[in-house]
Every structure is written in structure tokens, then in C-alpha cells.
């Protein structure tokens, strides 16, 4: 009996080791699988695959290093423009398919274009870049505006596409989107994704002291939180 228990334990440990080794590498076997939306700041083998394809097709002139930076962003936008895709610099479902990459980055009507696992950290980065000096409710409000846009027919339908829409957010233009978000920003992203909307459906926000767009003043102001005004 003792010998049987020892043998069983050893076999179990061997099987666990095999599974542990296999799982992390399962998604890399083909090199053509993109299980997430890719955008500025993403890293990994799927980014390397995008860079390699764009390099071979003459869109990318940088190093194939698996880091989604400025050159990758510009190359993706060139590829999108050439192929009649939405030019947002984001490798979502349509762009991935055009690149010949299978993708699990799909959206559904029930979630309004939100992939919880993929989008939480990106949303936190946007909050940190746009509103880290604001009160907590103001941080949640900024995230809510982004999520409200994914549900509006006037905007792209994914969090990444909304955030990286050209000229949409100052934090993207000046690079603050790439700062590491703090705990408050991460928690605010989660609260917004869980349904808290302090703006009650607003699609815009701006700081009246620093706003440079004349058009933004045509929006109807619904409420003010911290230094930001929120409107529709």
C-alpha cells in the first residue's frame, strides 16, 4: 500500500509538471494567433507577429521586438488606410483578420464592445493619464465616458478604438497613456466596468481652463466633477 501511494504521488507530480509546461506555450504554437486587442503599449509574441508581417509587407521599418510603440502604431495605421479599415492604430478583430491572424478579440452587443479582461488595464491607463489629479468619482466619470462611447453609434465600439481614436484624448497625444496607473486608477476602471456612471450617460468631458477645442463648447454641460465638465 505504501509503495502504491508513493508511485501515485510521483505520477501525479509528473503530470502536473507536463501540464504546467504545456499551457503557457499552447498559444504560441502557430505564431498567428492574436488572443487580445493590441494597441500602443502592448507587448508579446502577438505584437512580434504583427511587426514581422508589416515589415515584410513594407509598412514597418522598426525592430521586431514585440513592443507596440510609435513605429508599430504608425505602421498599423498605414496598413489600415491601405486596406479600407478604420484607421485607429489598434489591431482589433477586423485588422487582425486583414493581417491573416485569427483573433479572440470579439465584441458582443451585451457588453457594448467591452472585453473585461483585455480592457481593464488600458482603461486604468487612460484614467491615470487623463484624470490622476481628479477626485476618485472624477476618475470613474472619465472611464464612464469612454465606456459610454463604445455604446454610441457616433464612436468606435471597443475601448481601445475609442481611446486611440485620433485627437480624442490628450493623454494619448502627449504619451501619458503609457504611464503606469496607480491603485485608484485601476479601482476606478473596475468600478466603471461594473456599471458605475457618475455622468449619467455623458459622451464628452473637458477642462474649461485648458480646453483648446472651440467645438467642445458646443456640447451641453450636464454636470461638473472636479476640474472637468461633462456633457452630451
Amino acid at each position: 500500500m505504501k509503495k502504491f501511494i508513493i508511485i501515485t504521488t510521483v505520477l501525479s507530480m509528473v503530470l502536473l509538471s507536463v501540464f504546467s509546461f504545456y499551457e503557457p506555450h499552447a498559444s504560441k504554437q502557430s505564431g498567428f494567433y492574436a488572443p487580445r486587442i493590441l494597441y500602443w503599449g502592448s507587448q508579446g509574441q502577438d505584437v512580434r507577429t504583427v511587426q514581422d508581417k508589416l515589415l515584410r509587407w513594407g509598412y514597418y521599418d522598426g525592430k521586431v521586438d514585440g513592443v507596440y510603440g510609435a513605429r508599430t502604431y504608425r505602421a498599423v495605421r498605414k496598413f489600415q488606410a491601405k486596406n479600407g479599415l478604420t484607421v485607429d492604430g489598434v489591431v482589433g478583430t477586423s485588422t487582425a483578420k486583414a493581417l491573416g491572424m485569427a483573433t479572440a478579440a470579439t465584441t458582443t452587443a451585451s457588453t457594448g464592445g467591452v472585453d473585461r479582461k483585455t480592457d481593464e488595464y488600458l482603461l486604468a491607463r487612460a484614467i491615470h493619464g487623463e484624470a490622476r489629479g481628479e477626485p476618485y468619482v472624477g476618475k470613474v466619470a472619465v472611464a464612464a465616458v469612454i465606456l459610454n462611447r463604445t455604446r454610441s453609434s457616433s464612436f468606435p465600439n471597443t475601448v481601445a478604438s475609442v481611446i486611440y481614436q485620433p485627437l480624442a484624448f490628450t493623454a494619448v497625444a502627449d504619451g501619458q497613456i503609457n504611464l503606469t496607473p496607480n491603485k485608484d486608477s485601476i479601482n476606478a476602471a473596475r468600478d466603471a466596468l461594473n456599471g458605475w456612471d457618475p455622468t449619467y450617460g455623458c459622451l464628452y468631458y473637458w477642462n474649461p481652463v485648458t480646453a483648446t477645442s472651440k467645438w467642445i463648447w458646443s456640447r451641453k454641460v450636464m454636470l461638473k466633477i472636479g476640474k472637468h465638465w461633462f456633457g452630451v
Side-chain angles (χ1 to χ4, degrees), residues 15-29 33:
L15 287 173
L16 285 172
S17 297
V18 170
F19 290 144
S20 298
F21 176 80
Y22 178 76
E23 277 298 321
H25 298 278
S27 64
K28 298 181 181 180
Q29 57 186 353
Y33 182 69

Side-chain angles (χ1 to χ4, degrees), residues 49-201:
T49 300
V50 170
Q51 292 172 329
D52 181 66
K53 283 175 172 287
L54 295 176
L55 178 65
R56 287 187 283 112
W57 295 343
Y59 295 96
Y60 181 60
D61 62 356
K63 183 179 179 181
V64 179
D65 56 5
V67 179
Y68 203 125
R71 289 189 175 185
T72 305
Y73 174 78
R74 289 195 294 267
V76 169
R77 287 176 60 86
K78 289 179 184 178
F79 175 80
Q80 291 170 328
K82 183 71 174 180
N83 290 274
L85 301 165
T86 299
V87 182
D88 56 11
V90 175
V91 181
T93 305
S94 299
T95 300
K97 287 182 179 178
L99 285 166
M101 300 169 66
T103 177
T106 56
T107 60
T108 63
S110 62
T111 58
V114 175
D115 179 337
R116 178 64 180 250
K117 186 176 180 179
T118 301
D119 293 333
E120 185 179 281
Y121 191 69
L122 176 58
L123 196 57
R125 284 168 50 193
I127 294 168
H128 192 70
E130 291 278 315
R132 62 181 176 277
E134 294 297 296
Y136 186 76
V137 65
K139 292 179 173 66
V140 179
V142 165
V145 166
I146 293 171
L147 295 177
N148 290 340
R149 288 188 179 187
T150 68
R151 304 181 187 105
S152 169
S153 60
S154 299
F155 296 92
N157 65 352
T158 68
V159 169
S161 295
V162 165
I163 290 174
Y164 285 104
Q165 189 173 24
L167 305 178
F169 295 99
T170 302
V172 173
D174 63 17
Q176 292 190 68
I177 187 74
N178 298 311
L179 297 175
T180 301
N182 58 22
K183 186 176 180 180
D184 268 1
S185 295
I186 292 173
N187 288 337
R190 289 173 181 168
D191 279 340
L193 286 167
N194 285 335
W196 184 14
D197 181 4
T199 76
Y200 303 99

